[in-house]
């Protein structure tokens, strides 16, 4: 019941995205519609009665005034910014082939043109975000509404729409770009994004890794063997994530569907009897552990008021209280999956300290010296941020609570000691209770009792000092809170953790073998003494020593769940302790996941050999053993995906542990089954996909054509060209000579001879085509063709401008040289006359 309750609650709040009620025609609720004019934000009902959209909430203002999120003298400015629409922000996708071209177009084109059209505060209507590296993120003072409505911005708006649809830019809130920048990802890291949809941060992480390549190198998954696992609980939202990230053209990504707090660790120790020889399989991992974890948890979202003003109407203090438990579970699961020496970023788009500092403090309280809260104040110095709070209060049912002892007994199932700065679980002696009353469902104010945390034994407050205003003893000032009026953004909270060591070991004090304790009473006692305030399922590490699953008896296997399907799991051989000790929990179905196609290693030698022979794929490209499909019937496979070595290891581990991972997407779509419309038969049934072409292109030796600019542009314009209509003679001959079927057309640089071998680098432009009996047909979408034509025109204009500038400089140099020659001749004439005069005088 507990798992199902969590699932319902999580999906209820976060499965569907909110409507943007600033937008024309959006509905703020089931009975109203919204329209917006250019002068004010107006709300209209179906009866056409107009009234202002409400951007105020007395409970909200009272709450954050009391929490002292900002200084009293800043309050009016703070609220004023919250009531304004959020300016548009976007990020140039650094993995795009035209990244530098787009940045130059913004810097030298739109910025200057907008400055000439607008005055005053609007002269900096478009500018790069000063704290984002390499001018790759941009901020516009115009809201999305203004971009759509203002005629003078129409050209800029069209540029944004096309670039976003193609994938050259990502429309993303500015503060949402911050957490990945503090994760410090490297090209050899295993990375987990726990709550990834809709995928902007995942894409950003992939870009950061991609930028670590040498300048000019190709986006190859073989250069750096990293792996990124992007997880989200909802399958439909994951589809958007998959769509976002496929533009990255990476074989190192896996998308999974799990509740983040129950993400499986895929521990192999329980399955060692099934695979005794790991070295023969080449498997180098025996469980899922990550170098970096991004924990951007579900939250109440009041930091997004500027783009989702419907929150003004819905907000109440119970929203944050109800999510605290879930956020803590997800964060602790992330730390459990983190390697020693790894880094985790915890973030929310909420301003509520109960969702932010309270969660951070409880993590530090539970993990002790194993976890360090990092001070990153010197990183990104141009990003304006506020230090985290060290004191706050909890509001429940309209009452302010300064300490857990103030919580009425009937409210303790929903109001936890971990919500308070001290985290001390103290009550009046007349109000003692067992501390485990976690009821299912929600109360009337939105408190999610299903997510309550099990509390340790209560202490009589007579033995403890009186607490009035609690202050946390942890260095929470190392957290950062971004508020809207500092840099005209939304609000965000970020904390960065470093895992210094495994969690403490719980062992029997007696006995030479040092076996893990597994008796119910001993385990309960040890948990109270050594892991105060541990939640059910939180990890207790076995330290640096490996615990052999074979050495644990049946009773141990009942009490210590380490398969990761239900309970949390930690690093090394960390073992999760169930709240219901001694009760064997039902394992998840280890067979095929309902509604999810299986991941099958594709080993059809006949098909692979035909692909290699047809395209002349170089043997240095590791094709064998790196292909997967989603269809168990080899003859019916429509798509073949390519995975990197690191992802392949995860897949093999997942198969060995009974397919614990629910995989929605994996790898890079490399080949697609293709049939000719005119019935032409080809020796290879699979064409190269557009996503896979950048990775495979350097290794192709057949079916590659070199086209001059004129023919390349004609292909993009007309989509299909007869061989006889090709301008270049060499291209005509080679097109006729290659086999029928898929081919690749590469843009030939000027003055490049057709006989010269194709040199592929990051600037190479190529498209997939299909050679029929008499035509060459483009296999690229119309939108991609339009964008590529525009990019080529921009490049030609830039080169023409450079050529003209060089010619002008050359002409100026020649003119100066001519003037110098004339002056030298005049000087010589003068010298000759002077010499003649001297000679005459001398004689």
């Amino acid at each position: 019941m507990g798992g199902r309750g969590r699932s319902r609650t999580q999906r209820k709040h976060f499965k569907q995205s909110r409507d943007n009620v600033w937008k024309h025609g959006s509905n703020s609720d089931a009975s109203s519609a919204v329209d917006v004019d250019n002068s004010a934000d107006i709300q209209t009902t179906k009866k056409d009665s107009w009234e202002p959209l409400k951007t105020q909430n007395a409970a909200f203002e009272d709450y954050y005034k009391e929490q002292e999120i900002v200084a009293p003298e800043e309050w009016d400015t703070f609220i004023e910014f919250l009531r304004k629409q959020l300016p548009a922000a976007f990020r140039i996708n650094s993995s795009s082939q035209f990244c530098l071209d787009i940045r130059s177009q913004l810097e030298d084109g739109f910025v200057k043109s907008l400055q000439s059209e607008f005055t005053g505060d609007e002269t900096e209507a478009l500018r790069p975000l000063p704290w984002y590296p390499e001018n790759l993120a941009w901020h516009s003072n115009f809201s999305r509404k203004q971009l759509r409505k203002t005629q003078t911005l129409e050209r800029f708006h069209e540029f944004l729409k096309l670039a976003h649809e193609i994938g050259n830019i990502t429309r993303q809130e500015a503060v949402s770009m911050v957490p990945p920048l503090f994760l410090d990802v490297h090209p050899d890291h295993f990375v987990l994004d726990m709550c990834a949809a809709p995928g902007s941060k995942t894409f950003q992480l992939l870009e950061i890794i991609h930028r670590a390549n040498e300048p000019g190198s190709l986006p190859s998954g073989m250069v750096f063997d990293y792996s990124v696992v992007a997880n989200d609980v909802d399958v439909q939202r994951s589809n958007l994530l998959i769509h976002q990230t496929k533009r990255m053209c990476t074989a190192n990504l896996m998308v999974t569907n799990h509740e983040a707090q129950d993400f499986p660790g895929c521990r192999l120790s329980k399955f060692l009897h099934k695979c005794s020889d790991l070295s023969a399989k080449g498997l180098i991992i025996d469980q899922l552990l990550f170098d970096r974890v991004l924990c951007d948890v579900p939250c109440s979202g009041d930091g997004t008021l500027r783009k989702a003003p419907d929150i003004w109407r819905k907000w109440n203090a119970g929203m944050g209280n109800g999510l605290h438990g879930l956020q803590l579970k997800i964060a602790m699961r992330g730390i459990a999956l983190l390697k020693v020496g790894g880094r985790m970023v915890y973030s929310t788009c909420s301003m509520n300290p109960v969702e932010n500092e309270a969660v951070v403090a409880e993590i530090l309280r539970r993990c002790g010296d194993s976890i360090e809260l990092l001070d990153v104040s010197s990183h990104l110095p141009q990003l304006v941020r506020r230090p985290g709070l060290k004191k706050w209060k909890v509001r429940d049912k309209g009452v302010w609570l300064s300490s857990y002892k103030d919580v009425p007994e009937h409210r303790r199932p929903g109001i936890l000691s971990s919500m308070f700065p001290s985290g001390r679980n103290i009550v009046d002696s007349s109000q003692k209770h067992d501390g485990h009353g976690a009821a299912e469902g929600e109360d009337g104010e939105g408190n999610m009792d299903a997510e309550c945390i099990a509390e340790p034994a209560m202490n009589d407050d007579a033995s403890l000092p009186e607490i009035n205003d609690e202050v946390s003893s942890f260095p929470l000032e190392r957290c950062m809170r971004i508020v809207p009026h500092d840099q005209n953004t939304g609000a965000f909270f970020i904390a960065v953790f470093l895992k210094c060591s495994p969690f403490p070991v719980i062992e029997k004090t007696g006995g030479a073998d040092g076996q893990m304790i597994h008796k119910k009473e001993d385990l309960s006692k040890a948990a109270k003494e050594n892991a105060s305030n541990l939640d059910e399922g939180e990890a207790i590490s076995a330290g640096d020593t490996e615990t052999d699953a074979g050495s644990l008896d049946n009773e141990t296997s009942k009490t210590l769940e380490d398969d990761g399907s239900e309970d949390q799991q930690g690093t090394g051989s960390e073992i999760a302790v169930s709240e219901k000790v001694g009760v064997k929990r039902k394992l998840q179905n280890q067979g095929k996941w309902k509604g999810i196609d299986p991941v099958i290693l594709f080993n059809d030698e006949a098909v692979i050999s035909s692909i290699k022979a047809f395209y002349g794929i170089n043997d240095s490209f590791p094709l064998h053993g790196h292909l997967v499909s989603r269809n168990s019937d080899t003859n019916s496979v429509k798509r073949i995906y390519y995975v990197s070595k690191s992802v392949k290891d995860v897949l093999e581990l997942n198969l060995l542990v009974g397919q614990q991972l629910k995989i929605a997407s994996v790898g890079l779509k490399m080949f697609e089954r293709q049939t000719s419309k005119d019935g032409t038969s080809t020796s290879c049934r699979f064409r190269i996909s557009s996503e896979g072409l950048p990775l495979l292109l350097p290794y192709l030796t057949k079916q590659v054509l070199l086209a001059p600019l004129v023919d390349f542009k004609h292909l993009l314009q007309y989509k299909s060209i007869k061989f006889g209509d090709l301008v270049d003679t060499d291209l005509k001959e080679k097109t006729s000579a290659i086999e029928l079927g898929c081919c690749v057309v590469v843009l030939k640089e000027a003055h490049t001879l057709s006989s010269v071998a194709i040199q592929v680098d990051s600037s190479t432009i190529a498209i997939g085509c299909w050679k029929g009996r008499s035509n060459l047909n483009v296999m690229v979408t119309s939108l991609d063709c339009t964008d590529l034509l525009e990019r080529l025109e921009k490049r030609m204009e830039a080169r023409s401008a450079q050529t003209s500038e060089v010619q002008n400089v050359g002409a100026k140099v020649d003119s100066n040289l001519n003037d110098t020659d004339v002056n030298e001749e005049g000087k010589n004439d003068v010298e000759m006359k002077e010499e003649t005069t001297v000679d005459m005088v001398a004689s």
Side-chain angles (χ1 to χ4, degrees):
M1 289 297 292
R4 291 195 297 272
R6 285 194 300 270
S7 175
R8 284 198 305 272
T9 305
Q10 193 167 346
R11 286 186 174 88
K12 175 181 177 182
H13 284 279
F14 311 108
K15 180 177 180 179
Q16 298 178 350
S17 60
R18 289 188 298 268
D19 290 333
N20 185 351
V21 301
W22 292 117
K23 189 175 179 181
H24 178 80
S26 298
N27 293 330
S28 60
D29 54 41
S31 62
S32 66
V34 177
D35 199 358
V36 181
D37 69 3
N38 291 330
S39 58
D41 305 314
I42 303 297
Q43 180 173 330
T44 178
T45 65
K46 293 182 179 180
K47 297 181 180 180
D48 294 330
S49 59
W50 296 80
E51 60 182 34
L53 178 67
K54 294 180 180 179
T55 56
Q56 58 185 4
N57 183 316
F60 173 89
E61 296 189 35
D62 291 343
Y63 186 84
Y64 283 113
K65 279 183 178 178
E66 184 70 22
Q67 302 288 20
E68 298 182 352
I69 293 294
V70 297
E73 59 270 19
E74 297 180 78
W75 180 259
D76 291 341
T77 305
F78 170 69
I79 287 293
E80 179 185 354
F81 270 79
L82 280 179
R83 289 171 178 160
K84 293 180 180 178
Q85 288 195 53
L86 186 69
F90 60 91
R91 194 184 72 252
I92 303 172
N93 293 339
S94 59
S95 61
S96 170
Q97 193 172 26
F98 301 103
C99 170
L100 298 180
D101 294 344
I102 294 170
R103 189 174 65 183
S104 297
Q105 187 176 356
L106 289 167
E107 293 173 340
D108 302 329
F110 287 114
V111 169
K112 293 180 179 178
S113 63
L114 289 174
Q115 284 177 347
S116 64
E117 293 180 16
F118 295 96
T119 59
D121 295 336
E122 294 179 332
T123 55
E124 288 193 354
L126 179 66
R127 58 180 174 82
L129 291 171
W131 45 266
Y132 201 95
E134 302 180 60
N135 281 3
L136 290 175
W138 289 71
H139 165 100
S140 170
N141 284 334
F142 297 107
S143 66
R144 290 191 175 189
K145 181 191 72 173
Q146 291 171 305
L147 288 175
R148 288 192 300 268
K149 299 290 185 180
T150 310
Q151 291 296 325
T152 53
L153 295 171
E154 184 176 356
R155 187 169 64 90
F156 177 56
H157 186 219
E158 290 301 318
F159 159 79
L160 287 181
K161 285 199 303 182
L162 179 60
H164 178 69
E165 290 176 16
I166 293 297
N168 288 332
I169 70 167
T170 297
R171 306 282 287 268
Q172 185 179 0
E173 190 174 350
V175 287
S176 176
M177 305 176 195
V178 176
L181 298 179
F182 285 96
L183 204 55
D184 189 32
V185 291
H186 291 236
D188 59 344
H189 280 166
F190 268 56
V191 184
L192 172 64
D193 189 350
M194 300 189 74
C195 308
S200 298
K201 294 184 184 69
T202 303
F203 195 100
Q204 191 178 350
L205 288 170
L206 292 168
E207 287 183 76
I208 294 171
I209 296 174
H210 173 78
R211 296 288 287 181
N213 284 331
E214 291 296 324
S217 64
L218 293 164
S220 172
M222 298 173 295
V223 176
F224 297 117
D225 203 23
Y226 66 91
S227 177
V228 175
V229 178
N231 177 72
D232 199 85
V233 66
D234 187 67
V235 176
Q236 293 180 346
R237 282 169 54 84
S238 293
N239 291 334
L240 180 57
L241 188 157
I242 294 167
H243 175 74
Q244 287 259 50
T245 53
K246 75 175 183 179
R247 303 170 301 185
M248 187 65 204
C249 299
T250 178
N252 300 65
L253 175 68
M254 178 185 294
V255 179
T256 60
N257 293 135
H258 292 279
E259 291 186 342
Q261 68 272 26
D262 292 325
F263 191 88
C266 296
R267 185 185 299 278
L268 192 58
S269 57
K270 291 185 66 176
F271 299 85
L272 287 175
H273 62 283
K274 297 182 180 180
C275 46
S276 57
D277 189 5
L278 291 181
S279 59
K281 294 178 176 291
L283 195 64
I284 61 173
I285 57 174
D286 61 358
Q287 63 177 319
L288 282 184
L289 294 174
F290 298 90
D291 300 282
R292 298 290 186 267
V293 173
L294 179 59
C295 188
D296 187 50
V297 297
C299 64
S300 60
D302 55 24
T304 65
L305 277 166
R306 299 184 68 182
K307 75 172 183 180
D310 58 313
I311 298 177
W312 282 106
R313 175 176 53 84
K314 300 174 182 177
W315 189 93
N316 62 73
M319 294 168 64
N321 294 345
L323 288 166
H324 172 87
L326 175 63
Q327 292 160 343
L328 184 54
K329 284 176 178 287
I330 294 175
M332 288 300 297
R333 184 61 184 146
I335 290 175
L337 293 167
L338 194 62
K339 294 179 182 178
V340 173
R343 176 180 288 203
M344 185 181 86
V345 169
Y346 174 85
S347 62
T348 76
C349 54
S350 168
M351 296 178 281
N352 195 341
V354 173
E355 301 178 67
N356 298 324
E357 285 90 347
V359 175
V360 172
E362 184 65 11
I363 291 171
L364 296 173
R365 192 174 296 115
R366 295 185 181 191
C367 298
D369 294 336
S370 298
I371 291 295
E372 178 186 356
L373 180 61
L374 294 180
D375 182 0
V376 292
S377 57
S378 61
H379 188 50
L380 301 182
Q382 291 181 293
L383 175 67
V384 180
R385 82 290 299 265
R386 310 285 181 101
L389 304 176
K390 291 181 73 73
K391 65 177 183 177
W392 61 90
K393 298 178 181 179
V394 177
R395 190 173 178 86
D396 178 57
K397 298 294 184 180
V399 177
W400 284 107
L401 306 170
S402 298
S403 173
Y404 190 74
K405 68 184 178 70
D406 300 329
V407 181
E409 185 174 4
H410 72 280
R411 295 300 303 149
R412 285 179 193 143
I415 302 301
L416 314 177
S417 63
S418 58
M419 295 179 179
F420 295 88
S422 73
R424 299 166 74 174
N425 197 344
I426 56 176
V427 297
D428 295 331
S429 58
S430 60
Q431 297 178 341
K432 292 180 182 179
H433 65 94
D434 60 7
H436 293 279
E440 294 284 334
E442 295 182 342
D443 62 33
E445 194 172 301
N447 291 325
M448 191 165 52
D449 291 341
E451 301 304 335
C452 291
I453 306 297
E455 299 289 338
M458 301 298 168
N459 298 305
D460 193 330
D461 67 342
S463 62
L464 293 169
E466 181 72 18
I467 298 177
N468 293 321
D469 290 330
E470 291 190 358
V471 178
S472 176
S473 60
F474 295 109
L476 299 182
E477 67 277 3
R478 296 179 182 178
C479 305
M480 68 188 82
R481 177 179 272 99
I482 300 172
V483 293
H485 60 284
D486 280 340
Q487 289 183 302
N488 197 12
T489 63
F492 229 77
F493 176 88
I494 300 160
V496 184
F497 294 96
L498 175 69
K499 189 166 186 176
C500 305
S501 64
F503 296 142
V505 177
I506 298 179
E507 295 182 333
K508 272 188 175 181
T509 54
D513 58 356
Q515 184 182 17
M516 295 289 294
I517 57 175
H518 55 269
K519 292 184 179 180
K520 179 176 180 179
E521 54 273 17
D522 290 339
L523 185 62
S524 177
K525 180 179 178 182
K528 292 178 181 179
E529 293 177 353
N530 299 296
S532 176
N533 216 21
L534 270 177
D535 176 25
E536 71 155 311
E538 292 301 353
I540 299 177
S541 175
D544 296 329
T545 60
E546 281 293 323
T547 302
D548 185 357
S551 67
L552 301 178
D553 58 24
N554 292 334
E555 187 179 0
T556 305
S557 64
K558 292 179 181 179
T559 58
L560 298 179
E561 294 289 339
D562 64 349
D563 65 339
S565 60
E566 288 286 337
D567 291 317
Q568 314 296 350
Q569 171 181 317
T571 63
S573 57
E574 295 170 1
I575 298 176
V577 182
S578 171
E579 182 188 27
K580 297 180 180 179
V581 180
V583 179
K584 188 171 183 179
R585 305 178 78 173
K586 184 178 180 180
L587 295 178
Q588 290 177 332
N589 178 19
Q590 300 299 305
K592 180 178 178 180
W593 291 93
K594 183 178 180 180
I596 298 290
D597 293 327
V599 179
I600 308 295
L601 294 175
F602 188 82
N603 295 315
D604 191 321
E605 291 296 331
V607 173
I608 296 175
S609 297
S610 68
I611 290 174
K612 289 191 66 175
F614 185 78
Y615 296 107
I617 298 175
N618 196 297
D619 289 335
S620 62
F621 187 83
L623 203 60
H624 289 274
H626 288 264
L627 299 178
V628 300
S629 68
R630 306 304 297 264
N631 194 329
S632 56
D633 183 2
T634 306
N635 296 324
S636 302
V637 169
K638 294 182 179 179
R639 300 174 187 88
I640 302 175
Y641 300 85
Y642 183 83
V643 297
S644 66
K645 175 63 168 62
S646 57
V647 173
K648 177 189 174 186
D649 289 338
V650 175
L651 291 177
E652 291 181 342
L653 173 65
N654 187 47
L655 289 173
L656 291 172
V657 299
Q659 300 184 43
Q660 292 181 14
L661 286 176
K662 184 179 181 182
I663 301 172
S665 175
V666 63
L668 176 66
K669 184 169 67 176
M670 186 70 77
F671 305 106
E672 291 187 272
R673 186 185 293 271
Q674 183 73 34
T675 56
S676 176
K677 293 181 180 180
D678 58 5
T680 304
S681 60
T682 65
S683 58
C684 179
R685 295 176 294 169
F686 289 88
R687 70 176 180 90
I688 302 174
S689 72
S690 298
E691 294 96 322
L693 181 57
L695 184 64
L696 197 58
L697 182 59
Y699 304 93
L700 301 181
T701 60
K702 296 181 181 179
Q703 298 296 107
V704 181
L705 301 171
L706 201 59
L709 180 62
V710 60
D711 283 321
F712 199 87
K713 289 177 67 175
H714 285 167
L715 277 169
L716 295 175
Q717 288 172 343
Y718 303 113
K719 313 299 187 296
S720 179
I721 295 181
K722 292 184 177 181
F723 301 157
D725 294 335
L726 294 171
V727 176
D728 187 75
T729 304
D730 289 335
L731 180 60
K732 287 182 183 179
E733 295 176 357
K734 291 191 175 182
T735 302
S736 301
I738 64 173
E739 292 190 53
L740 297 173
C742 178
C743 62
V744 178
V745 178
V746 179
L747 174 62
K748 181 175 72 173
E749 294 292 334
H751 310 300
T752 301
L753 298 176
S754 300
S755 57
V756 177
I758 299 174
Q759 299 295 322
V760 178
D761 57 30
S762 60
S763 65
T764 303
I765 298 176
I767 57 174
C769 294
W770 184 270
K771 182 207 169 179
R773 296 183 186 274
S774 59
N775 285 42
L776 194 61
N777 304 297
V778 174
M779 303 183 76
V780 178
T781 65
S782 297
L783 201 60
D784 286 319
C785 288
T786 301
D787 179 71
L788 193 51
L789 276 171
E790 183 179 335
R791 293 291 139 213
L792 291 176
E793 291 293 341
K794 294 292 181 184
R795 282 194 177 185
M796 294 305 297
E797 290 175 5
R799 289 178 181 178
S800 298
Q802 290 176 355
T803 302
S804 300
E805 185 177 350
V806 170
Q807 291 175 348
N808 292 336
V809 171
K812 186 175 182 180
V813 171
D814 291 340
S815 176
N816 291 337
L817 288 174
N818 291 334
D819 292 342
T820 302
D821 292 340
V822 170
N823 292 336
E824 289 294 332
E825 291 176 0
K827 180 179 179 181
N828 291 337
D829 290 343
V830 171
E831 289 176 350
M832 289 178 64
K833 290 179 181 179
E834 289 177 349
E835 290 174 359
T836 303
T837 302
V838 170
D839 291 340
M840 290 176 64
V841 171
S843 62

